[in-house]
C-alpha cells in the first residue's frame, strides 16, 4: 500500500509512523509530508530512511490511504484534494468530524461506519472524546445513557509538540526558582503566551480551545457533540468543563453518566473488563485507579473509580484515562486503516 502521512513530523504524525511499524501495517511505500521547513528531512521507517515531502496535490497520486495529522485549516483544504486523487483519507483534525457525510469512527464502537464515506474521508474523534466514549459506549449498550456531566484533565501534548516543549521548559525553569513559585511570583519565572496563555507548569488552566459567546470552549463542545455522533444519540444531554493540566501525555476524564435504568457497579465492572480496548483499573482500596503516567504509551483506555451516584440509582461516576497521542489519535487512525484492508 502507498500510505501518505500528512504532518508526519508532528506529535501525532510521529506516533502514526511508530504504530504503523509496530502493527506491521502493510506499507509498500510511505510518503511523509510536512511543512516547508521539514522538506528533505530524513525519517526512520521500516528500517530505512524516508525523505519528508512538501504538501502538493501530486503526493496523493496513487495513494491508497492518506492519514492527516495537521491543523483543521490544512485538513479542510487538503483532505478533499487527497480524496479526489483516490486516497481514502483518515483525518485527525476537527475539520470534518461533524460533517453528516463523514463518519466519525472509533473501531471498537462503530467500525461498520467506515464503509459509509461518500466524501472518501473518515474522521477520528478528539482525543478527550475517545478517552471517555471507550468506557461509556459499552455501559450505554447495557443501560442507555441520557445525560452526561464531564470534567477533563488534559495533557500538554494534546496541544501538539509545541505544547509539550513548553511544559518541559516551564517545569525546568520553575524547579530552579522554588521561592518564586511559593511566593506567588511564578509568573516572573515562567511566562505564558506561547501555546498556553498562562504558565502551565505547576498550574491548572480551566480553558482548552477557543471560547464561544455562551462561555463554552471549542474543546467542550467537541466532547459533547462528538459523543452524540459516535453513540448515535443526537439528543444526548451532555455538558463538559475541559481543563489543561501539567501532564505530558494522557488525558483524564471524570464522568457522571445517567442512564434509562438502574445501574450496578459490579455489572459495570464486568462489562468494562470484557470490553475490547478498555482496561479496568478499579481497586481503590489498594490504590489501583487510572493515571496518565500509567496510561502513557499504552493502547487501552483505563477506567476506574466506578461508583454509583450517592442519590441516583440510575447514575454512575467513573474516571478514565487514555494516551491522547495513541488511542486518542494515532492508534485510532491506524486501526481505521486496518479496517480498510
Ligand atoms: N496532540 C494530540 O493529542 C491530538 C489528539 C487528537 C487529535 N489531534 C489533532 O491532530 C492534528 C495534529 O496535531 P499534532 O498534535 O500532531 O500537532 P503538531 O505536533 O503541531 O504537528 C503539526 C504537523 O503539521 C505539519 N504542518 C504544519 N504546517 C504545515 C504545512 N503548511 N504543510 C504541511 N504540513 C504542515 C507540521 O510539520 P513541521 O514539523 O514541518 O512543522 C507537523 O508535522 C491536529 O488537528 C490536532 O488537533 C491531536
Amino acid at each position: 500500500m502507498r500510505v501518505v502521512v500528512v504532518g508526519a513530523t508532528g506529535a501525532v504524525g510521529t506516533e502514526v509512523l511508530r504504530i504503523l511499524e509496530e502493527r506491521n501495517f502493510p506499507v509498500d511505500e510511505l510518503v511523509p509530508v510536512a511543512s516547508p521547513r521539514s522538506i528533505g528531512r530524513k525519517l526512520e521507517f521500516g528500517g530505512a530512511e524516508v525523505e519528508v515531502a512538501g504538501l502538493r496535490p501530486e503526493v496523493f497520486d496513487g495513494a491508497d490511504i492518506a492519514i492527516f495529522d495537521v491543523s483543521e485549516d490544512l485538513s479542510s483544504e487538503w483532505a478533499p484534494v487527497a480524496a479526489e486523487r483516490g486516497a481514502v483519507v483518515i483525518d485527525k483534525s476537527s475539520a470534518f468530524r461533524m460533517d453528516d457525510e463523514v463518519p466519525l469512527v472509533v473501531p471498537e464502537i462503530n467500525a461498520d461506519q467506515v464503509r459509509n464515506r461518500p466524501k472518501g474521508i473518515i474522521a477520528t474523534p478528539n482525543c478527550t472524546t475517545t478517552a471517555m466514549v471507550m468506557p461509556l459506549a459499552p455501559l450505554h449498550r447495557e443501560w442507555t445513557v441520557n445525560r452526561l456531566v464531564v470534567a477533563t484533565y488534559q495533557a500538554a501534548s494534546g496541544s501538539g509538540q509545541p505544547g509539550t516543549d513548553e511544559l518541559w521548559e516551564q517545569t525546568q525553569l520553575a524547579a530552579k526558582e522554588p521561592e518564586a513559585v511559593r511566593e506567588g511570583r511564578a509568573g516572573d519565572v515562567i511566562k505564558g503566551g506561547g501555546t498556553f496563555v498562562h504558565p502551565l507548569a505547576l498550574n491548572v488552566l480551566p480553558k482548552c480551545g477557543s471560547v464561544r459567546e455562551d462561555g463554552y470552549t471549542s474543546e467542550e463542545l467537541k466532547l459533547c457533540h462528538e459523543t452524540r455522533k459516535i453513540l448515535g444519540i443526537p439528543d444526548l444531554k451532555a455538558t463538559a468543563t475541559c481543563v489543561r493540566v501539567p501532564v505530558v501525555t494522557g488525558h483524564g476524564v471524570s464522568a457522571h453518566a445517567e442512564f434509562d435504568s438502574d445501574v450496578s457497579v459490579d455489572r459495570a465492572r464486568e462489562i468494562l473488563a470484557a470490553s475490547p480496548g478498555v482496561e479496568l483499573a478499579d481497586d481503590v482500596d489498594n490504590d489501583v485507579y487510572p493515571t496518565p503516567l500509567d496510561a502513557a504509551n499504552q493502547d487501552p483506555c483505563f477506567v476506574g473509580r466506578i461508583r454509583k451516584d450517592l442519590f441516583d440509582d440510575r447514575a454512575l461516576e467513573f474516571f478514565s484515562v487514555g494516551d491522547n497521542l495513541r488511542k486518542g489519535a494515532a492508534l485510532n487512525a491506524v486501526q481505521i486503516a486496518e479496517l480498510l484492508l
Side-chain angles (χ1 to χ4, degrees):
M1 283 201 143
R2 186 168 197 263
V3 178
V4 181
V5 177
V6 186
T9 52
V12 176
T14 303
E15 206 63 28
V16 166
L17 300 196
R18 273 181 60 189
I19 294 175
L20 287 170
E21 280 182 328
E22 274 173 28
R23 294 173 74 97
N24 291 318
F25 192 83
V27 181
D28 298 310
E29 188 189 353
L30 178 91
V31 184
V33 172
S35 79
R37 66 185 155 270
S38 300
I39 293 175
R41 205 179 126 189
K42 304 273 195 316
L43 303 179
E44 292 278 329
F45 185 80
E49 281 192 334
V50 277
E51 196 171 304
V52 175
L55 190 49
R56 293 176 294 112
E58 297 74 36
V59 293
F60 301 109
D61 288 344
D64 298 288
I65 293 176
I67 301 179
F68 273 67
D69 307 306
V70 287
S71 66
E72 183 181 351
D73 288 350
L74 282 172
S75 282
S76 300
E77 185 181 346
W78 287 91
V81 174
E84 168 96 350
R85 287 184 176 240
V88 177
V89 173
I90 301 169
D91 184 37
K92 271 304 317 152
S93 83
S94 53
F96 299 97
R97 289 180 192 147
M98 298 314 297
D99 185 324
D100 286 342
E101 293 186 292
V102 174
L104 180 60
V105 175
V106 179
E108 292 85 348
I109 302 173
N110 58 352
D112 54 315
Q113 289 294 317
V114 293
R115 284 188 292 275
N116 174 24
R117 45 169 204 271
K119 290 188 171 169
I121 301 171
I122 301 165
T124 117
N126 181 267
C127 33
T128 319
T129 308
T130 309
M132 201 226 3
V133 287
M134 283 294 288
L136 181 65
L139 299 174
H140 164 62
R141 279 194 287 272
E142 181 83 359
W143 294 306
T144 309
V145 65
N146 60 52
R147 172 99 175 111
L148 202 55
V149 183
V150 175
T152 71
Y153 303 76
Q154 300 185 205
S157 61
S159 292
Q161 194 56 46
T164 307
D165 296 345
E166 195 167 307
L167 176 61
W168 277 119
E169 197 181 308
Q170 291 178 355
T171 305
Q172 282 157 15
L173 284 172
K176 287 184 194 146
E177 307 262 3
E179 287 300 303
V181 174
R182 195 179 56 75
E183 290 165 8
R185 295 182 288 104
D188 297 347
V189 182
I190 42 176
K191 303 276 181 230
T195 302
F196 309 110
V197 175
H198 298 285
L200 179 62
L202 309 177
N203 212 359
V204 160
L205 308 177
K207 180 199 160 201
C208 300
S210 52
V211 184
R212 275 196 343 173
E213 255 174 41
D214 60 4
Y216 275 83
T217 68
S218 51
E219 197 79 358
E220 288 156 358
L221 295 172
K222 283 178 201 170
L223 186 58
C224 297
H225 295 312
E226 291 175 18
T227 301
R228 290 168 153 199
K229 181 167 174 177
I230 296 163
L231 297 183
I233 322 173
D235 58 351
L236 175 66
K237 291 180 281 175
T239 183
T241 302
C242 289
V243 182
R244 188 77 59 191
V245 295
V247 159
V248 173
T249 304
H251 288 347
V253 179
S254 166
H256 166 90
E258 296 175 19
F259 298 89
D260 282 354
S261 46
D262 285 2
V263 296
S264 134
V265 170
D266 288 344
R267 179 72 187 130
R269 288 194 182 121
E270 202 174 272
I271 291 166
L272 292 168
S275 298
V278 175
E279 194 154 318
L280 197 60
D282 193 30
D283 181 6
V284 72
D285 284 346
N286 291 303
D287 282 307
V288 176
Y289 35 75
T291 70
L293 286 182
D294 289 338
N297 210 27
Q298 302 292 315
D299 285 352
C301 290
F302 296 81
V303 60
R305 296 302 322 279
I306 301 165
R307 60 215 189 275
K308 234 184 197 179
D309 183 286
L310 288 175
F311 305 99
D312 184 351
D313 287 340
R314 297 181 175 198
L316 276 179
E317 316 295 319
F318 64 82
F319 188 78
S320 60
V321 180
D323 182 324
N324 48 296
L325 297 175
R326 285 185 77 91
K327 186 59 186 166
L331 173 63
N332 202 63
V334 175
Q335 285 177 303
I336 291 172
E338 287 169 350
L339 294 173
L340 300 172
L341 288 175

